[in-house]
Amino acid sequence: MKSESAKSGIERAPHRSLFKAMGYTDEELGRPLVGIANSANDIIPGHVELDRIVNAVKAGVYMGGGTPIAFGTIGICDGIAMNHIGMKYSLASRELIADSVEVMAIAHAFDAMVMVTNCDKIVPGMLMAAARLNLPTIVVSGGPMLAGTHNGKKIDLVSVFEAVGAFRSGKIGEAELADIEDTACPTCGSCAGMFTANSMNCLTEAIGMGLPGNGTIPAVMAARTRLAKQAGMKIMMLLKKRITPRKIMTEKAFANAMAVDMALGCSTNTVLHLMAIGREAGVRIDLDAFNRVSEKTPHLCNLSPAGSHHIEDLDRAGGVSAVMKELSRKGLIRTDCLTVTGRPVKENIEDSRIRDKSVIRPLERPYHKQGGLAVLFGNLAASGCVVKQSAVARRMLRHEGTARVFDSEEEATSDIMAGKIKKGDVVIIRYEGPRGGPGMREMLVPTSVIAGMGLDADVALITDGRFSGGTRGAAIGHVSPEAMDGGPIAIVEDGDRIAIDIPQKRITLKVSEKEIEARLSTWRPPKFKITKGYMARYARAVSSGGEGAVVR
């Protein structure tokens, strides 16, 4: 056991004395030490009850013969950080979370890890740490919140963002907006749609690092507590069998995660996160891989924001296991991959079935023949950009429009809310990339306001920043190279024509190569927007969105 180096032998008497100061007994110190990374806090709805999950994990670890030791990590609520300087820190927090878990695990010589997490950057940050440490590890999510209701219709957080646009355009009054605000988020948990948090929770299960049910069991259900206890017991089995994350997160397991990603219609942010996790696991993933998987994997679930179903519906319909079982019928899932159950995928999904074919469609009648995401290339994005094609109106799959250029999210949002964006426009938001932002902000406010105004089927948005998993419409993000690195998005001008062809995976600035070269020859990068502290260091070290926005 790794923990022997911190607790065994005469020379470790001082170390044991410190353990005993906290109430640990000799019996507990004689057992394997299981670190529990706990991201609980009072600022994220998905985290406010994680202490309950941690206590259940502790009980499971004790039942399995180990000694649980919990410690904390940071976490940012993307919804609360949205549309102000706070969002610059969100993606960058992923690296801090991974680093902090690594530091705690190695400094205290833990034998194994359970990572209790939820929400956008915390889940991938912990998976990155799991791959880096390569200690036996299970990831346990706090689970999704239930959907709210308004006028007999299910709603969620994105409904509130879109309601702001509806209010601004005079479609609803202030009283209705207030009612939507009060009812959209009725319980704790990660926001109820297939946004980034739930996308990553589902992919944690698909890649084999979470127990069956991890991605979909609602936060308020007793089954979530039972799952946490089972994780505590299972980690002792993984330790005994020496099953570590790199034995689970193989190239084939990442292919499984991408297939489930496409079938569910997950967030565009999964592209960044899977690439970053793969890097830690020693598995190289390029952007073309997502297109290759998307082309052969049908889109089976139409979850919010693309459709009317929510994670609670997916859970009721059979969850991630049922989706994987369905995909496996045509060989789209590698069923021999090892998982944290100690068994291969094949055995985990053997008894799974679709319980509601309106939520999980069979392969023979998918919502779309291709997967939920597409990566586009062209002279505007030589290193790629990403769109959730399953959430794009049919007539916007091919679109040509006039560029309206903004150098920040705030400038774009101001003009959108003032009604200055017209049908057919292509809104360009630049200098919001990993380095230029810095931090590659999500931009749920401008996309949601456009949707709330009823323009999402007529207006495209393109950025070197990111869009929320809650975004719908022709919202194309992660443009690489970014503007701060001198990518062509930096020299787009108002009035230029932009052509988007999602089926052909193309995005084109309709300006001659000679003109593009001339503009780039006179371009100079602006000053960094943040010049001190963590984000200044991050801006100097971070890679492009096309490489997962990882710190070099």
Side-chain angles (χ1 to χ4, degrees), residues 408-432:
S408 71
E409 178 188 1
E410 287 84 357
E411 293 175 19
T413 300
S414 177
D415 272 21
I416 293 167
M417 287 194 172
K420 295 180 180 180
I421 302 301
K422 307 301 181 185
K423 289 184 177 182
D425 285 346
V426 177
V427 176
I428 304 286
I429 307 176
R430 63 191 179 193
Y431 297 108
E432 290 288 4

PDB file of all heavy atoms in Angstrom, residues 408-432:
ATOM      1  N   SER A 408     -15.777  41.385 -27.999  1.00  0.00           N
ATOM      2  CA  SER A 408     -16.042  40.829 -26.666  1.00  0.00           C
ATOM      3  C   SER A 408     -17.486  40.379 -26.597  1.00  0.00           C
ATOM      4  O   SER A 408     -18.331  40.823 -27.392  1.00  0.00           O
ATOM      5  CB  SER A 408     -15.786  41.864 -25.561  1.00  0.00           C
ATOM      6  OG  SER A 408     -16.783  42.871 -25.567  1.00  0.00           O
ATOM      7  N   GLU A 409     -17.771  39.502 -25.632  1.00  0.00           N
ATOM      8  CA  GLU A 409     -19.145  39.046 -25.417  1.00  0.00           C
ATOM      9  C   GLU A 409     -20.045  40.205 -25.028  1.00  0.00           C
ATOM     10  O   GLU A 409     -21.197  40.286 -25.475  1.00  0.00           O
ATOM     11  CB  GLU A 409     -19.169  37.980 -24.318  1.00  0.00           C
ATOM     12  CG  GLU A 409     -20.568  37.486 -23.987  1.00  0.00           C
ATOM     13  CD  GLU A 409     -20.620  36.584 -22.769  1.00  0.00           C
ATOM     14  OE1 GLU A 409     -19.560  36.350 -22.149  1.00  0.00           O
ATOM     15  OE2 GLU A 409     -21.724  36.117 -22.426  1.00  0.00           O
ATOM     16  N   GLU A 410     -19.534  41.120 -24.179  1.00  0.00           N
ATOM     17  CA  GLU A 410     -20.366  42.231 -23.707  1.00  0.00           C
ATOM     18  C   GLU A 410     -20.856  43.095 -24.857  1.00  0.00           C
ATOM     19  O   GLU A 410     -22.029  43.507 -24.897  1.00  0.00           O
ATOM     20  CB  GLU A 410     -19.580  43.089 -22.697  1.00  0.00           C
ATOM     21  CG  GLU A 410     -19.375  42.440 -21.338  1.00  0.00           C
ATOM     22  CD  GLU A 410     -18.174  41.502 -21.291  1.00  0.00           C
ATOM     23  OE1 GLU A 410     -17.521  41.296 -22.350  1.00  0.00           O
ATOM     24  OE2 GLU A 410     -17.880  40.967 -20.212  1.00  0.00           O
ATOM     25  N   GLU A 411     -19.948  43.389 -25.805  1.00  0.00           N
ATOM     26  CA  GLU A 411     -20.343  44.217 -26.948  1.00  0.00           C
ATOM     27  C   GLU A 411     -21.437  43.533 -27.763  1.00  0.00           C
ATOM     28  O   GLU A 411     -22.417  44.177 -28.176  1.00  0.00           O
ATOM     29  CB  GLU A 411     -19.127  44.479 -27.842  1.00  0.00           C
ATOM     30  CG  GLU A 411     -18.050  45.349 -27.222  1.00  0.00           C
ATOM     31  CD  GLU A 411     -16.839  45.460 -28.135  1.00  0.00           C
ATOM     32  OE1 GLU A 411     -16.972  45.183 -29.344  1.00  0.00           O
ATOM     33  OE2 GLU A 411     -15.756  45.815 -27.640  1.00  0.00           O
ATOM     34  N   ALA A 412     -21.280  42.244 -27.998  1.00  0.00           N
ATOM     35  CA  ALA A 412     -22.268  41.503 -28.781  1.00  0.00           C
ATOM     36  C   ALA A 412     -23.609  41.451 -28.054  1.00  0.00           C
ATOM     37  O   ALA A 412     -24.665  41.686 -28.661  1.00  0.00           O
ATOM     38  CB  ALA A 412     -21.773  40.087 -29.055  1.00  0.00           C
ATOM     39  N   THR A 413     -23.578  41.152 -26.757  1.00  0.00           N
ATOM     40  CA  THR A 413     -24.818  41.046 -25.988  1.00  0.00           C
ATOM     41  C   THR A 413     -25.572  42.364 -25.987  1.00  0.00           C
ATOM     42  O   THR A 413     -26.810  42.395 -26.116  1.00  0.00           O
ATOM     43  CB  THR A 413     -24.509  40.609 -24.549  1.00  0.00           C
ATOM     44  OG1 THR A 413     -23.848  39.343 -24.573  1.00  0.00           O
ATOM     45  CG2 THR A 413     -25.785  40.488 -23.726  1.00  0.00           C
ATOM     46  N   SER A 414     -24.848  43.454 -25.866  1.00  0.00           N
ATOM     47  CA  SER A 414     -25.485  44.774 -25.858  1.00  0.00           C
ATOM     48  C   SER A 414     -26.252  45.029 -27.145  1.00  0.00           C
ATOM     49  O   SER A 414     -27.415  45.464 -27.120  1.00  0.00           O
ATOM     50  CB  SER A 414     -24.418  45.854 -25.649  1.00  0.00           C
ATOM     51  OG  SER A 414     -24.999  47.140 -25.709  1.00  0.00           O
ATOM     52  N   ASP A 415     -25.638  44.728 -28.293  1.00  0.00           N
ATOM     53  CA  ASP A 415     -26.315  44.963 -29.573  1.00  0.00           C
ATOM     54  C   ASP A 415     -27.461  43.987 -29.790  1.00  0.00           C
ATOM     55  O   ASP A 415     -28.504  44.346 -30.364  1.00  0.00           O
ATOM     56  CB  ASP A 415     -25.310  44.842 -30.725  1.00  0.00           C
ATOM     57  CG  ASP A 415     -24.622  46.174 -31.020  1.00  0.00           C
ATOM     58  OD1 ASP A 415     -24.613  47.043 -30.117  1.00  0.00           O
ATOM     59  OD2 ASP A 415     -24.085  46.337 -32.132  1.00  0.00           O
ATOM     60  N   ILE A 416     -27.297  42.756 -29.335  1.00  0.00           N
ATOM     61  CA  ILE A 416     -28.383  41.769 -29.479  1.00  0.00           C
ATOM     62  C   ILE A 416     -29.599  42.217 -28.692  1.00  0.00           C
ATOM     63  O   ILE A 416     -30.726  42.221 -29.193  1.00  0.00           O
ATOM     64  CB  ILE A 416     -27.915  40.370 -29.031  1.00  0.00           C
ATOM     65  CG1 ILE A 416     -26.850  39.827 -29.991  1.00  0.00           C
ATOM     66  CG2 ILE A 416     -29.095  39.404 -28.957  1.00  0.00           C
ATOM     67  CD1 ILE A 416     -26.109  38.612 -29.461  1.00  0.00           C
ATOM     68  N   MET A 417     -29.376  42.611 -27.432  1.00  0.00           N
ATOM     69  CA  MET A 417     -30.502  43.028 -26.583  1.00  0.00           C
ATOM     70  C   MET A 417     -31.125  44.329 -27.075  1.00  0.00           C
ATOM     71  O   MET A 417     -32.308  44.585 -26.832  1.00  0.00           O
ATOM     72  CB  MET A 417     -30.035  43.162 -25.137  1.00  0.00           C
ATOM     73  CG  MET A 417     -29.780  41.829 -24.452  1.00  0.00           C
ATOM     74  SD  MET A 417     -29.638  42.008 -22.658  1.00  0.00           S
ATOM     75  CE  MET A 417     -29.590  40.283 -22.140  1.00  0.00           C
ATOM     76  N   ALA A 418     -30.348  45.133 -27.781  1.00  0.00           N
ATOM     77  CA  ALA A 418     -30.883  46.386 -28.326  1.00  0.00           C
ATOM     78  C   ALA A 418     -31.608  46.183 -29.650  1.00  0.00           C
ATOM     79  O   ALA A 418     -32.098  47.144 -30.247  1.00  0.00           O
ATOM     80  CB  ALA A 418     -29.742  47.390 -28.514  1.00  0.00           C
ATOM     81  N   GLY A 419     -31.688  44.914 -30.114  1.00  0.00           N
ATOM     82  CA  GLY A 419     -32.413  44.613 -31.340  1.00  0.00           C
ATOM     83  C   GLY A 419     -31.670  44.987 -32.606  1.00  0.00           C
ATOM     84  O   GLY A 419     -32.278  45.140 -33.668  1.00  0.00           O
ATOM     85  N   LYS A 420     -30.338  45.098 -32.523  1.00  0.00           N
ATOM     86  CA  LYS A 420     -29.554  45.526 -33.679  1.00  0.00           C
ATOM     87  C   LYS A 420     -29.120  44.375 -34.587  1.00  0.00           C
ATOM     88  O   LYS A 420     -28.546  44.603 -35.647  1.00  0.00           O
ATOM     89  CB  LYS A 420     -28.321  46.306 -33.211  1.00  0.00           C
ATOM     90  CG  LYS A 420     -28.669  47.624 -32.519  1.00  0.00           C
ATOM     91  CD  LYS A 420     -27.405  48.364 -32.080  1.00  0.00           C
ATOM     92  CE  LYS A 420     -27.763  49.671 -31.381  1.00  0.00           C
ATOM     93  NZ  LYS A 420     -26.541  50.407 -30.938  1.00  0.00           N
ATOM     94  N   ILE A 421     -29.352  43.126 -34.142  1.00  0.00           N
ATOM     95  CA  ILE A 421     -29.002  41.961 -34.955  1.00  0.00           C
ATOM     96  C   ILE A 421     -30.233  41.537 -35.750  1.00  0.00           C
ATOM     97  O   ILE A 421     -31.325  41.378 -35.186  1.00  0.00           O
ATOM     98  CB  ILE A 421     -28.485  40.810 -34.084  1.00  0.00           C
ATOM     99  CG1 ILE A 421     -27.264  41.257 -33.286  1.00  0.00           C
ATOM    100  CG2 ILE A 421     -28.162  39.586 -34.940  1.00  0.00           C
ATOM    101  CD1 ILE A 421     -26.103  41.749 -34.139  1.00  0.00           C
ATOM    102  N   LYS A 422     -30.056  41.355 -37.056  1.00  0.00           N
ATOM    103  CA  LYS A 422     -31.184  41.057 -37.939  1.00  0.00           C
ATOM    104  C   LYS A 422     -31.079  39.642 -38.505  1.00  0.00           C
ATOM    105  O   LYS A 422     -30.016  39.021 -38.490  1.00  0.00           O
ATOM    106  CB  LYS A 422     -31.223  42.068 -39.098  1.00  0.00           C
ATOM    107  CG  LYS A 422     -31.211  43.523 -38.645  1.00  0.00           C
ATOM    108  CD  LYS A 422     -32.397  43.860 -37.731  1.00  0.00           C
ATOM    109  CE  LYS A 422     -32.353  45.338 -37.310  1.00  0.00           C
ATOM    110  NZ  LYS A 422     -33.429  45.644 -36.322  1.00  0.00           N
ATOM    111  N   LYS A 423     -32.188  39.147 -39.018  1.00  0.00           N
ATOM    112  CA  LYS A 423     -32.210  37.829 -39.641  1.00  0.00           C
ATOM    113  C   LYS A 423     -31.153  37.757 -40.734  1.00  0.00           C
ATOM    114  O   LYS A 423     -31.004  38.683 -41.532  1.00  0.00           O
ATOM    115  CB  LYS A 423     -33.589  37.533 -40.227  1.00  0.00           C
ATOM    116  CG  LYS A 423     -34.673  37.290 -39.187  1.00  0.00           C
ATOM    117  CD  LYS A 423     -35.996  36.915 -39.827  1.00  0.00           C
ATOM    118  CE  LYS A 423     -37.053  36.599 -38.764  1.00  0.00           C
ATOM    119  NZ  LYS A 423     -38.348  36.191 -39.372  1.00  0.00           N
ATOM    120  N   GLY A 424     -30.458  36.643 -40.755  1.00  0.00           N
ATOM    121  CA  GLY A 424     -29.414  36.437 -41.756  1.00  0.00           C
ATOM    122  C   GLY A 424     -28.025  36.828 -41.306  1.00  0.00           C
ATOM    123  O   GLY A 424     -27.035  36.437 -41.936  1.00  0.00           O
ATOM    124  N   ASP A 425     -27.910  37.597 -40.216  1.00  0.00           N
ATOM    125  CA  ASP A 425     -26.596  38.023 -39.737  1.00  0.00           C
ATOM    126  C   ASP A 425     -25.787  36.836 -39.205  1.00  0.00           C
ATOM    127  O   ASP A 425     -26.346  35.832 -38.731  1.00  0.00           O
ATOM    128  CB  ASP A 425     -26.728  39.060 -38.616  1.00  0.00           C
ATOM    129  CG  ASP A 425     -27.125  40.438 -39.130  1.00  0.00           C
ATOM    130  OD1 ASP A 425     -27.047  40.656 -40.356  1.00  0.00           O
ATOM    131  OD2 ASP A 425     -27.516  41.295 -38.313  1.00  0.00           O
ATOM    132  N   VAL A 426     -24.471  36.981 -39.275  1.00  0.00           N
ATOM    133  CA  VAL A 426     -23.550  36.041 -38.641  1.00  0.00           C
ATOM    134  C   VAL A 426     -22.752  36.830 -37.608  1.00  0.00           C
ATOM    135  O   VAL A 426     -21.917  37.662 -37.971  1.00  0.00           O
ATOM    136  CB  VAL A 426     -22.607  35.384 -39.668  1.00  0.00           C
ATOM    137  CG1 VAL A 426     -21.611  34.466 -38.949  1.00  0.00           C
ATOM    138  CG2 VAL A 426     -23.392  34.598 -40.700  1.00  0.00           C
ATOM    139  N   VAL A 427     -23.066  36.607 -36.344  1.00  0.00           N
ATOM    140  CA  VAL A 427     -22.415  37.337 -35.256  1.00  0.00           C
ATOM    141  C   VAL A 427     -21.058  36.701 -34.973  1.00  0.00           C
ATOM    142  O   VAL A 427     -20.960  35.502 -34.705  1.00  0.00           O
ATOM    143  CB  VAL A 427     -23.289  37.324 -33.993  1.00  0.00           C
ATOM    144  CG1 VAL A 427     -22.564  38.005 -32.828  1.00  0.00           C
ATOM    145  CG2 VAL A 427     -24.623  38.004 -34.266  1.00  0.00           C
ATOM    146  N   ILE A 428     -20.000  37.493 -35.047  1.00  0.00           N
ATOM    147  CA  ILE A 428     -18.641  37.040 -34.748  1.00  0.00           C
ATOM    148  C   ILE A 428     -18.227  37.630 -33.404  1.00  0.00           C
ATOM    149  O   ILE A 428     -18.220  38.856 -33.240  1.00  0.00           O
ATOM    150  CB  ILE A 428     -17.640  37.503 -35.834  1.00  0.00           C
ATOM    151  CG1 ILE A 428     -18.072  37.039 -37.223  1.00  0.00           C
ATOM    152  CG2 ILE A 428     -16.228  37.041 -35.487  1.00  0.00           C
ATOM    153  CD1 ILE A 428     -17.882  35.581 -37.493  1.00  0.00           C
ATOM    154  N   ILE A 429     -17.901  36.770 -32.454  1.00  0.00           N
ATOM    155  CA  ILE A 429     -17.420  37.233 -31.144  1.00  0.00           C
ATOM    156  C   ILE A 429     -15.998  36.704 -30.970  1.00  0.00           C
ATOM    157  O   ILE A 429     -15.788  35.494 -30.849  1.00  0.00           O
ATOM    158  CB  ILE A 429     -18.315  36.745 -29.997  1.00  0.00           C
ATOM    159  CG1 ILE A 429     -19.790  37.110 -30.253  1.00  0.00           C
ATOM    160  CG2 ILE A 429     -17.861  37.353 -28.669  1.00  0.00           C
ATOM    161  CD1 ILE A 429     -20.761  36.577 -29.207  1.00  0.00           C
ATOM    162  N   ARG A 430     -15.022  37.584 -30.981  1.00  0.00           N
ATOM    163  CA  ARG A 430     -13.624  37.161 -30.968  1.00  0.00           C
ATOM    164  C   ARG A 430     -12.877  37.740 -29.761  1.00  0.00           C
ATOM    165  O   ARG A 430     -13.439  38.498 -28.983  1.00  0.00           O
ATOM    166  CB  ARG A 430     -12.937  37.575 -32.269  1.00  0.00           C
ATOM    167  CG  ARG A 430     -12.876  39.079 -32.498  1.00  0.00           C
ATOM    168  CD  ARG A 430     -12.442  39.377 -33.903  1.00  0.00           C
ATOM    169  NE  ARG A 430     -12.392  40.823 -34.161  1.00  0.00           N
ATOM    170  CZ  ARG A 430     -12.293  41.360 -35.370  1.00  0.00           C
ATOM    171  NH1 ARG A 430     -12.256  40.577 -36.443  1.00  0.00           N
ATOM    172  NH2 ARG A 430     -12.233  42.666 -35.528  1.00  0.00           N
ATOM    173  N   TYR A 431     -11.624  37.334 -29.635  1.00  0.00           N
ATOM    174  CA  TYR A 431     -10.799  37.645 -28.465  1.00  0.00           C
ATOM    175  C   TYR A 431     -11.438  37.115 -27.189  1.00  0.00           C
ATOM    176  O   TYR A 431     -11.354  37.716 -26.123  1.00  0.00           O
ATOM    177  CB  TYR A 431     -10.497  39.145 -28.372  1.00  0.00           C
ATOM    178  CG  TYR A 431      -9.683  39.631 -29.542  1.00  0.00           C
ATOM    179  CD1 TYR A 431     -10.266  40.438 -30.532  1.00  0.00           C
ATOM    180  CD2 TYR A 431      -8.355  39.252 -29.702  1.00  0.00           C
ATOM    181  CE1 TYR A 431      -9.533  40.850 -31.637  1.00  0.00           C
ATOM    182  CE2 TYR A 431      -7.613  39.663 -30.811  1.00  0.00           C
ATOM    183  CZ  TYR A 431      -8.209  40.459 -31.769  1.00  0.00           C
ATOM    184  OH  TYR A 431      -7.469  40.865 -32.870  1.00  0.00           O
ATOM    185  N   GLU A 432     -12.110  35.962 -27.325  1.00  0.00           N
ATOM    186  CA  GLU A 432     -12.687  35.262 -26.172  1.00  0.00           C
ATOM    187  C   GLU A 432     -12.122  33.844 -26.073  1.00  0.00           C
ATOM    188  O   GLU A 432     -12.684  32.991 -25.406  1.00  0.00           O
ATOM    189  CB  GLU A 432     -14.218  35.209 -26.283  1.00  0.00           C
ATOM    190  CG  GLU A 432     -14.913  36.546 -26.106  1.00  0.00           C
ATOM    191  CD  GLU A 432     -14.906  37.058 -24.671  1.00  0.00           C
ATOM    192  OE1 GLU A 432     -14.296  36.402 -23.806  1.00  0.00           O
ATOM    193  OE2 GLU A 432     -15.527  38.118 -24.431  1.00  0.00           O
TER     194      GLU A 432
END
